[in-house]
Amino acid sequence: MSAKSSIPQPMLEIRNLKASIDGKEILKGINLTVNAGEVHAIMGPNGSGKSTLAAVLAGREVFEVTGGEVTYCGQDLLSMAPEIRAREGIFLGFQYPVEIPGVSMVNFMRTAVNEKRKYLGQPEMGAADFLKLMRDRKALVDLDTSLANRSVNEGFSGGEKKRNEIFQMAMLEPKLAILDETDSGLDIDALKTVANGVNRLKNKENAVIVITHYQRLLDYIVPDFVHVLFDGRIVRSGDKRLAFELEEKGYDWIREAN
Amino acid sequence: MNVLLDKKILDSQLTDWYFTNRDQLMAASNSVFNSFRPEAMECFRKMGIPDKSNENYKYTDVREVFLTPFNRYIEPRKILFSVEDLFRCDIPELDTELVLLVNGWFYENRPRLEVLPNGIIIGSMAEAARQYPHILEAHYSRYADFRKDALVALNTGFAQDGTFIYIPKGVGQDRTIQVVNILLSPEDLFVQHRNLVVIEDNAMARVVVCDHSLSAHHFLTNSVTEIFVGQNARLDYTKLQNEHNSSNQLSSSFVHQEKDSHAIFNTITLHGGMIRNNVYTRLNGPGAENHTLGLFLADRNQHVDSYTYVDHAAPGCTSRQNFKGILDEKATGAFTGRILVRPDAQKTLAYQANNNILLTSEARMNTKPQLEIYADDVKCSHGATVGQLDENAMFYLQTRGIAKREARLLLMGAFGHEILKQVPVEPLRDRLNDLVDKRLKGELSRCNSCPLQCQETC
Amino acid sequence: MVPFIIAESHEIMNADQDQIISQVTQTEYKYGFVTDVESDALPKGLNEDIVRQISEIKGEPDWMLEFRLKAYRYWTTMKLPEWAHLKLPVIDYQDIIYYSAPRSRQPLGSLDEVDPELIETFNKLGIPLDEQKQLAGVAVDAVMDSISVKTTFRDALAGQGIIFCSFSEAVREHPDLVKKYMGSVVPYRDNFFASLNSAVFSDGSFVFIPKGVRCPMELSTYFRINAANTGQFERTLIIAEEGAYVSYLEGCTAPKRDKNQLHAAIVEIIAHTDAEVKYSTVQNWYPGDREGKGGIYNFVTKRGICMGDRSKISWTQVETGSAITWKYPSCILRGDHSVGEFYSVAVTNNHQQADTGTKMIHLGKNTRSIIVSKGISAGLSNNSYRGLVRVSKNADHARNFSQCDSLLLGDRCGAHTFPYIEVDNQSAVVEHEATTSKIGEDQIFYCNQRGIDTETAVGLIVNGYAREVLNKLPMEFAVEAQKLLQITLEGSVG
């Protein structure tokens, strides 16, 4: 909770993180440091563990953490329940956003926003203020007003679902946003809209981890650092040029080098 | 005449008949059969033949079919006939191991009990009880619970003979086993055969059962078939009912499946009088999968009632039921399908569908799909429809120049095809498709394969 | 914190809703208080004398006594039905008080004359009995134990020819209507509990909407069982004449008592040509405690008949209470083009048992019915849907669609579906679909990731699951129903 500390500390520090599912090890020792104001891109071939890393950071229980530690704003992240992580400012943009029939977006978001406010000791947001906030943030991602009144992700197209994720990010104003393949299945216009949304939410106080398979998204969301994840480990780190190199040489290049 | 009273008398008549013939029954049979008779008949006496007040028989008053004064035999009557003359199997490419039952008794066109080179045993149930009592002791009356159903109790009380099939561990059988139940008698007859199929672990069996009536008398069959499917064993079972309209059939089958086994049980009903098919499935070990299917075509005053009960007693099992009915003229049909998911049978997948088409204003269909679920991590669904052929599809076909009658046949054929396409034996599947097509065209107005050519018997 | 639902189509939220959230933090049954009012009661037990005494106390005419006696005599020949998927306890019908009335010396003229304790009771229940809340526009008939305490708003309604009064009053003031319609939809021989009710019913509500009148407000009855060892046997009769419309709401509560109490009511609805009746229930009888002790046995016969062409009857129910529920609000679709609807949410928790559903009997041509049933089971409870769709011979082009979904929360509860479909007409189309599932782990995680804890997430998801039905309730009722769903399920997950 200490965004302002006298000694600068990393926002997120992952040390030798290992995780498995059904006894199969997926993450085999991840090391990564993210500071406020930074954009990190994590790239890698299918099955390298990108989505697992996102899920583990968000607290998905099907993955068992078998080693390592994660410090988030000076706290032990791994001991927190998923909803506490969320209230502490971690946002996961889902690769496959979940449909919740019958629950309206308005109701869903209002619950989420007020749960967070309560947790932070702030008064709950009144109806009028909340609706105003919704309107503002919807504009940010060009989300149709009618979508916000429909059930959570129900009957949304792929692009609508992704925009809806960014809309929720805008509503919850996270410190650390982890966007898991937010670009997959988007056409160029939708990609631009989503990236614009992310860029406008970006500031010195927060950080973004963009997980993607393709370099294309990084034309729009420009990363400070690019990491290549392969077989559960980060095998290369560099600046945005690394992404171009990857695009050019393909993942086989990594595969051969490892 | 007070029909109700008569029906009550009926129960006691059947009980009396048992006591009159008990000594003879016991003397003629092996102790495996005999050991269950007294309790079974006691259960029958308590329950009586089910009528509509029994929730499981809500749409079929079974007592009606017992009202004919049938002859009942404690020992087989000599019926002499030549198999070749009287019965032609119309599936020429189908190379089968043929077992004949005539009026519920094993017919000696082959040894009473035969051990094939791969260890498979096929033949008479009565003979199997004599030669392999340990197999019967392990399985007989273990799956068919006579405490719950009076018809099973009645069969267990009188059981003497039927078909016996045994596939030893790990044996994959090449030839389809074909069981032909023939009804042929100079007088009205009540028949109760009792069958057992045992497929040991990792073994496979393909069974086709054909029911035919070959003389123009009233018949009533009350049969019970128990099937054990061992671990990782496979069963393909197809039952073809093709009897004349004075043949009433009560058939109860019990499929017991162990871990990782797979069974298909398919009932195709082309012809008959009043037919009630009970198929009980118990998924007793994790990972078992069951497909219970049925298609019936009914016309005139036929009544076809299908009852299925799938008991998910172990976690991680899958069951699919798909039943279809086409009802013409004054036919009536009923379907009851019950899925039970027991506590702790988690990760169950259970689906059930029942679709019916009514072709006339006098046809009638009742359907009762049911889910009874006590575990939470399950996916279960059922659906039922009663309706007509799709008008839009009919019109579409007509605009392509297809006559209305042909269009109707095409659509009905397509409707039934969904069940038939799951028959695994190709020659049989082709033959069934052919039979169903003929049946739909009205070319099969009497039972097939019947050289007697008996006309309207109803 | 507890979730809430707000109007979907318009982004309207008012301060009220914030209040609702803070109100809904109680986990225990909150209507379990006992009101300390004097009551007059007959001795325990049932015989012809008791039946005569009930009739006498109520000053009934002979024809009504005759009806009761016929019903009583028939009831003595009947047996409790056994087909329901319920573990029915043995009920000692001689251990029940069949008549109990809050004591009053004369007929009540205005609200001032009502026992203040009673007004307090209904205030606790949130029933708008006082003048101020009458402005809210809901006319209320409150039935405590067996007696109608007060009917509000009646003068305003009378101006349009609408009759909204207690059943007893209707027997006195409108005997012709009562004689004509009582028992015409649910005959006294209909079933065990209907016969019992017909013999001993003490009061209830009566509604008559004359030809062409649209009732300008929701009519509402609150039922409350207060006295101990008492059965409640009320009877409701709703008649909508040609072209009339009415929306009727029913709510119910009872004090916590260790002993089970019996509630066996009858509701009859008659809709004439072009008439429409909407009947909504939020049933919240005391369900018993966590161990399954106490609670109401709710054995109710509700049935409506669409007499005339193009008439419509719609049942909406939210069932959260009662130890045992046995209830099948039904529609007889007699008029051509008539419509029957059934929307239901039934929640069971702890040791509750529910066997509920509907019957749609299609008699007329082009009749349509829709059934949407959402069952939610938690704890050790058993929740069954049982429904009949019958298309009779002359019901050409009848249509039915049924959707029955079950949601399981926990692995010790049961969810069951028992539809009966009987089609005797070739041109009918009947479709039934049912699913059983549990709340998706991925759905809960998605909510968690947005900062919503698991219990709140379950509340949200359950309310979403029931949305289709809750949307059919009038606004005030919908809010109450959401609160109830939440309270009923609290502590059942995680």
Side-chain angles (χ1 to χ4, degrees):
Chain A
M1 274 201 264
S2 49
K4 242 184 177 180
S5 174
S6 52
I7 311 156
Q9 56 175 9
M11 179 182 279
L12 182 76
E13 196 166 9
I14 304 173
R15 280 185 300 270
N16 198 27
L17 180 65
K18 294 178 179 174
S20 56
I21 185 165
D22 297 334
K24 190 179 175 240
E25 191 167 59
I26 309 286
L27 301 183
K28 301 176 178 175
I30 302 270
N31 290 290
L32 181 66
T33 302
V34 178
N35 293 299
E38 292 175 354
V39 176
H40 289 247
I42 296 179
M43 303 182 70
N46 289 331
S48 57
K50 301 189 301 288
S51 289
T52 303
L53 176 61
V56 167
L57 291 177
R60 182 112 219 207
E61 278 161 14
V62 291
F63 296 101
E64 194 193 349
V65 175
T66 52
E69 49 195 74
V70 181
T71 311
Y72 169 71
C73 297
Q75 301 180 72
D76 174 14
L77 182 73
L78 298 176
S79 66
M80 294 182 204
E83 64 269 27
I84 303 299
R85 298 181 199 204
R87 293 172 198 169
E88 287 283 356
I90 289 185
F91 178 89
L92 173 63
F94 282 64
Q95 183 180 1
Y96 304 108
V98 178
E99 300 189 0
I100 309 179
V103 177
S104 73
M105 275 305 299
V106 182
N107 199 23
F108 179 64
M109 269 297 104
R110 187 163 130 113
T111 309
V113 165
N114 279 332
E115 291 275 279
K116 180 172 178 178
R117 294 179 69 91
K118 238 171 29 183
Y119 177 79
L120 297 175
Q122 300 166 349
E124 288 186 24
M125 201 177 243
D129 289 345
F130 178 77
L131 289 177
K132 186 174 175 304
L133 181 71
M134 285 244 334
R135 266 193 299 277
D136 289 356
R137 300 299 147 95
K138 266 188 291 195
L140 199 68
V141 286
D142 215 8
L143 195 68
D144 203 324
T145 300
S146 68
L147 278 187
N149 289 316
R150 275 160 50 186
S151 298
V152 179
N153 291 321
E154 199 184 30
F156 285 30
S157 72
E160 285 168 345
K161 281 182 181 168
K162 294 298 171 72
R163 263 189 291 166
N164 190 22
E165 292 294 290
I166 303 305
F167 160 68
Q168 292 177 46
M169 175 179 159
M171 289 296 291
L172 294 166
E173 299 177 317
K175 276 190 232 159
L176 175 64
I178 305 162
L179 305 178
D180 186 6
E181 308 236 359
T182 299
D183 53 335
S184 64
L186 291 186
D187 62 45
I188 284 292
D189 286 343
L191 188 69
K192 280 184 193 161
T193 310
V194 164
N196 275 340
V198 174
N199 289 333
R200 284 158 75 177
L201 292 166
K202 187 75 210 60
N203 61 38
K204 285 202 177 77
E205 302 293 321
N206 59 23
V208 182
I209 299 175
V210 181
I211 292 174
T212 182
H213 189 78
Y214 303 105
Q215 181 267 340
R216 191 182 51 175
L217 177 66
L218 305 180
D219 291 344
Y220 302 96
I221 303 175
V222 181
D224 302 303
F225 302 94
V226 174
H227 311 277
V228 179
L229 192 61
F230 181 77
D231 192 25
R233 289 188 189 86
I234 291 179
V235 294
R236 287 271 195 298
S237 290
D239 59 16
K240 60 181 177 190
R241 281 172 301 182
L242 180 57
F244 290 115
E245 206 175 340
L246 259 185
E247 184 80 354
E248 208 171 287
K249 298 184 179 172
Y251 284 111
D252 286 343
W253 167 57
I254 297 291
R255 217 166 263 135
E256 282 154 23
N258 287 276
Chain B
M1 185 175 81
N2 189 335
V3 174
L4 198 72
L5 188 68
D6 278 11
K7 288 176 183 173
K8 280 190 178 153
I9 290 170
L10 201 67
D11 287 345
S12 53
Q13 272 178 357
L14 286 161
T15 316
D16 291 349
W17 179 49
Y18 169 75
F19 283 113
T20 318
N21 294 285
R22 187 174 48 184
D23 293 346
Q24 197 189 341
L25 262 174
M26 296 280 195
S29 299
N30 182 278
S31 63
V32 188
F33 292 108
N34 292 341
S35 61
F36 290 100
R37 291 193 208 282
E39 198 192 337
M41 285 312 294
E42 179 56 22
C43 288
F44 174 76
R45 192 188 60 78
K46 279 186 192 148
M47 290 183 280
I49 297 168
D51 60 18
K52 290 183 178 180
S53 71
N54 182 326
E55 186 66 22
N56 288 344
Y57 287 87
K58 186 179 167 70
Y59 297 118
T60 302
D61 188 349
V62 176
R63 289 166 180 257
E64 307 263 338
V65 297
F66 276 88
L67 289 178
T68 309
F70 290 108
N71 291 288
R72 301 163 289 209
Y73 304 134
I74 297 300
E75 57 193 22
R77 296 284 154 106
K78 273 270 178 271
I79 304 280
L80 286 175
F81 75 108
S82 139
V83 177
E84 291 71 30
D85 288 351
L86 263 185
F87 175 76
R88 299 188 301 268
C89 184
D90 279 338
I91 319 172
E93 309 90 69
L94 189 64
D95 175 28
T96 65
E97 203 68 63
L98 183 68
V99 178
L100 278 178
L101 289 190
V102 176
N103 301 334
W105 304 92
F106 182 83
Y107 189 80
E108 299 185 23
N109 67 318
R110 62 183 293 153
R112 284 189 67 76
L113 202 62
E114 190 175 1
V115 183
L116 305 179
N118 49 12
I120 293 176
I121 308 170
I122 300 176
S124 145
M125 187 76 171
E127 191 61 30
R130 270 176 221 117
Q131 292 188 31
Y132 300 96
H134 63 282
I135 298 180
L136 267 84
E137 273 156 20
H139 298 287
Y140 179 77
S141 211
R142 300 286 171 208
Y143 317 117
D145 190 348
F146 56 74
R147 288 163 203 90
K148 292 198 179 131
D149 190 313
L151 297 177
V152 176
L154 189 64
N155 180 288
T156 309
F158 288 98
Q160 284 180 279
D161 204 1
T163 314
F164 175 82
I165 298 170
Y166 176 82
I167 319 285
K169 270 189 186 150
V171 172
Q173 154 226 2
D174 336 319
R175 295 173 88 190
T176 298
I177 300 172
Q178 186 181 21
V179 179
V180 178
N181 288 313
I182 284 172
L183 296 172
L184 176 63
S185 161
E187 56 202 348
D188 295 348
L189 193 63
F190 177 39
V191 167
Q192 302 198 75
H193 50 94
R194 176 73 175 222
N195 312 294
L196 178 64
V197 179
V198 176
I199 308 167
E200 297 280 18
D201 296 356
N202 300 312
M204 293 198 316
R206 187 164 273 173
V207 182
V208 176
V209 177
C210 308
D211 299 334
H212 299 286
S213 46
L214 297 186
S215 63
H217 292 88
H218 286 89
F219 293 104
L220 173 60
T221 303
N222 175 40
S223 68
V224 172
T225 303
E226 290 178 283
I227 304 176
F228 171 84
V229 188
Q231 279 194 24
N232 196 37
R234 300 278 179 276
L235 167 75
D236 292 337
Y237 190 99
T238 308
K239 186 172 168 66
L240 174 66
Q241 295 176 315
N242 197 7
E243 297 180 349
H244 63 56
N245 290 38
S246 300
S247 287
N248 298 320
Q249 195 178 133
L250 311 165
S251 155
S252 301
S253 304
F254 296 81
V255 181
H256 180 97
Q257 289 185 243
E258 292 295 350
K259 190 169 173 242
D260 297 326
S261 61
H262 187 285
I264 302 174
F265 193 104
N266 199 337
T267 308
I268 311 289
T269 307
L270 291 179
H271 258 295
M274 200 286 279
I275 292 177
R276 162 79 178 204
N277 291 319
N278 297 324
V279 184
Y280 296 83
T281 304
R282 183 180 167 99
L283 299 168
N284 202 51
E289 181 166 337
N290 176 275
H291 297 249
T292 299
L293 311 161
L295 170 67
F296 75 84
L297 294 87
D299 57 11
R300 297 185 222 173
N301 291 309
Q302 269 185 272
H303 177 76
V304 181
D305 182 351
S306 304
Y307 177 93
T308 66
Y309 191 108
V310 177
D311 180 352
H312 280 263
C317 294
T318 301
S319 69
R320 285 176 187 275
Q321 293 161 77
N322 195 350
F323 276 78
K324 292 195 165 194
I326 300 176
L327 297 103
D328 202 352
E329 294 175 318
K330 291 179 178 173
T332 53
F335 171 78
T336 303
R338 190 157 181 143
I339 297 172
L340 169 68
V341 180
R342 291 186 187 263
D344 304 319
Q346 300 293 5
K347 306 278 178 203
T348 288
L349 297 176
Y351 302 98
Q352 183 190 77
N354 173 234
N355 306 102
N356 306 283
I357 290 181
L358 300 181
L359 294 176
T360 69
S361 59
E362 285 166 311
R364 184 188 169 102
M365 183 69 203
N366 298 317
T367 171
K368 227 170 56 153
Q370 310 191 325
L371 299 173
E372 188 179 356
I373 294 164
Y374 297 95
D376 66 332
D377 189 5
V378 300
K379 281 208 178 92
C380 301
S381 68
H382 66 205
T385 61
V386 180
Q388 314 86 51
L389 293 173
D390 183 349
E391 299 269 342
N392 293 327
M394 283 283 289
F395 180 69
Y396 184 80
L397 290 174
Q398 285 174 271
T399 64
R400 296 297 177 264
I402 299 167
K404 196 167 181 176
R405 184 185 131 84
E406 281 303 312
R408 245 171 76 117
L409 288 172
L410 266 174
L411 290 177
M412 284 192 286
F415 179 79
H417 183 68
E418 198 193 330
I419 302 295
L420 295 178
K421 76 179 180 200
Q422 301 190 55
V423 171
V425 194
E426 205 186 326
L428 178 63
R429 184 169 59 235
D430 294 345
R431 177 66 186 147
L432 285 173
N433 269 318
D434 185 42
L435 282 177
V436 167
D437 282 349
K438 276 192 181 153
R439 175 74 171 85
L440 290 172
K441 284 179 195 153
E443 289 167 17
L444 199 63
S445 59
R446 64 192 158 269
C447 61
N448 176 54
S449 314
C450 173
L452 289 186
Q453 303 289 304
C454 50
Q455 299 300 322
E456 288 298 311
T457 46
C458 50
Chain C
M1 130 125 197
V2 163
F4 55 95
I5 304 288
I6 53 181
E8 306 263 333
S9 47
H10 0 262
E11 286 181 19
I12 299 168
M13 287 185 296
N14 51 40
D16 286 354
Q17 255 130 7
D18 291 335
Q19 251 185 332
I20 290 159
I21 308 162
S22 52
Q23 279 172 11
V24 192
T25 41
Q26 259 174 292
T27 56
E28 291 287 301
Y29 186 72
K30 71 172 200 179
Y31 306 102
F33 53 86
V34 177
T35 306
D36 187 17
V37 287
E38 285 187 80
S39 61
D40 289 319
L42 288 176
K44 278 181 186 175
L46 184 55
N47 51 50
E48 280 205 20
D49 268 356
I50 294 281
V51 175
R52 285 175 197 280
Q53 282 181 58
I54 293 172
S55 186
E56 196 183 319
I57 292 172
K58 303 180 72 62
E60 286 176 355
D62 287 348
W63 57 266
M64 187 51 100
L65 176 63
E66 278 313 306
F67 178 83
R68 288 176 181 277
L69 287 172
K70 264 194 296 189
Y72 172 73
R73 286 168 196 147
Y74 190 73
W75 178 75
T76 58
T77 68
M78 297 179 84
K79 275 199 281 186
L80 190 68
E82 286 169 354
W83 41 259
H85 192 81
L86 299 171
K87 287 200 182 86
L88 287 178
V90 177
I91 298 171
D92 181 356
Y93 293 92
Q94 298 305 332
D95 194 35
I96 293 171
I97 296 168
Y98 286 87
Y99 184 83
S100 167
R103 182 167 293 168
S104 75
R105 299 195 194 294
Q106 60 225 18
L108 302 166
S110 81
L111 208 63
D112 300 339
E113 296 168 34
V114 178
D115 188 331
E117 282 276 0
L118 271 182
I119 295 190
E120 186 53 28
T121 298
F122 288 109
N123 281 340
K124 277 190 210 167
L125 294 170
I127 300 166
L129 262 183
D130 57 285
E131 302 291 339
Q132 181 193 347
K133 284 199 179 159
Q134 284 184 28
L135 297 173
V138 177
V140 173
D141 184 17
V143 177
M144 175 115 141
D145 290 340
S146 306
I147 285 301
S148 179
V149 180
K150 173 79 182 117
T151 307
T152 63
F153 244 130
R154 52 188 306 173
D155 294 344
L157 295 169
Q160 297 194 48
I162 295 170
I163 305 169
F164 180 37
C165 64
S166 74
F167 201 91
S168 313
E169 227 178 312
V171 171
R172 285 194 303 272
E173 309 287 329
H174 311 283
D176 292 346
L177 285 174
V178 175
K179 256 196 246 181
K180 181 171 174 191
Y181 290 108
M182 182 184 67
S184 69
V185 191
V186 181
Y188 70 85
R189 303 161 79 105
D190 192 77
N191 68 69
F192 186 84
F193 295 107
S195 298
L196 180 62
N197 175 291
S198 299
V200 302
F201 75 89
S202 20
D203 213 334
S205 294
F206 178 85
V207 176
F208 176 83
I209 315 289
K211 188 171 171 178
V213 172
R214 259 189 94 80
C215 185
M217 62 189 76
E218 313 271 357
L219 302 185
S220 171
T221 300
Y222 261 82
F223 295 105
R224 168 99 183 147
I225 297 180
N226 193 55
N229 299 326
T230 305
Q232 173 144 335
F233 306 94
E234 81 275 358
R235 228 188 143 96
T236 300
L237 180 56
I238 300 174
I239 302 145
E241 281 201 327
E242 199 175 318
Y245 167 85
V246 64
S247 168
Y248 182 91
L249 319 177
E250 175 206 300
C252 16
T253 58
K256 289 181 183 180
R257 296 195 188 276
D258 290 345
K259 271 191 90 175
N260 297 101
Q261 286 180 281
L262 178 64
H263 173 244
I266 289 180
V267 176
E268 294 178 281
I269 299 177
I270 296 101
H272 288 285
T273 306
D274 290 314
E276 179 177 351
V277 178
K278 273 187 72 148
Y279 192 106
S280 311
T281 309
V282 174
Q283 186 263 108
N284 183 28
W285 296 114
Y286 179 51
D289 66 13
R290 279 172 188 277
E291 273 68 54
K293 200 170 178 202
I296 302 292
Y297 296 155
N298 191 32
F299 300 123
V300 176
T301 307
K302 293 184 168 178
R303 194 177 302 151
I305 182 164
C306 288
M307 289 283 279
D309 295 352
R310 296 171 303 279
S311 54
K312 178 174 175 182
I313 293 176
S314 180
W315 298 99
T316 305
Q317 60 172 24
V318 175
E319 303 276 317
T320 63
S322 297
I324 300 179
T325 300
W326 182 97
K327 178 178 170 186
Y328 315 92
S330 303
C331 299
I332 300 169
L333 303 171
R334 208 181 90 169
D336 293 347
H337 298 276
S338 61
V339 176
E341 294 180 338
F342 176 76
Y343 297 94
S344 169
V345 174
V347 187
T348 54
N349 197 357
N350 299 322
H351 290 264
Q352 281 178 269
Q353 304 180 63
D355 193 295
T356 184
T358 184
K359 294 180 190 175
M360 293 290 172
I361 312 292
H362 291 257
L363 302 175
K365 297 187 197 327
N366 296 299
T367 47
R368 280 178 296 140
S369 63
I370 182 160
I371 298 171
V372 176
S373 164
K374 304 272 183 177
I376 300 160
S377 328
L380 298 164
S381 67
N382 269 297
N383 196 330
S384 304
Y385 166 81
R386 185 182 304 278
L388 168 69
V389 175
R390 178 181 289 151
V391 178
S392 58
K393 209 154 202 56
N394 298 319
D396 291 347
H397 305 292
R399 293 282 180 277
N400 162 269
F401 178 74
S402 307
Q403 174 73 46
C404 303
D405 296 326
S406 304
L407 195 62
L408 290 145
L409 308 177
D411 60 359
R412 311 312 314 162
C413 50
H416 320 300
T417 317
F418 305 113
Y420 298 66
I421 299 164
E422 303 178 1
V423 181
D424 200 359
N425 185 296
Q426 168 210 13
S427 62
V429 175
V430 177
E431 289 176 83
H432 171 94
E433 285 175 14
T435 62
T436 302
S437 55
K438 68 170 191 171
I439 292 181
E441 197 200 325
D442 55 344
Q443 292 176 325
I444 290 182
F445 180 70
Y446 192 73
C447 293
N448 287 162
Q449 214 300 309
R450 299 300 184 249
I452 300 166
D453 64 51
T454 300
E455 184 143 344
T456 309
V458 168
L460 264 179
I461 295 167
V462 164
N463 267 309
Y465 164 81
R467 175 117 311 268
E468 213 178 325
V469 174
L470 297 177
N471 276 346
K472 297 288 171 185
L473 288 171
M475 188 58 184
E476 318 81 55
F477 251 39
V479 173
E480 184 183 339
Q482 282 153 23
K483 289 193 286 176
L484 278 175
L485 282 186
Q486 184 63 26
I487 291 169
T488 309
L489 291 172
E490 248 165 55
S492 64
V493 172

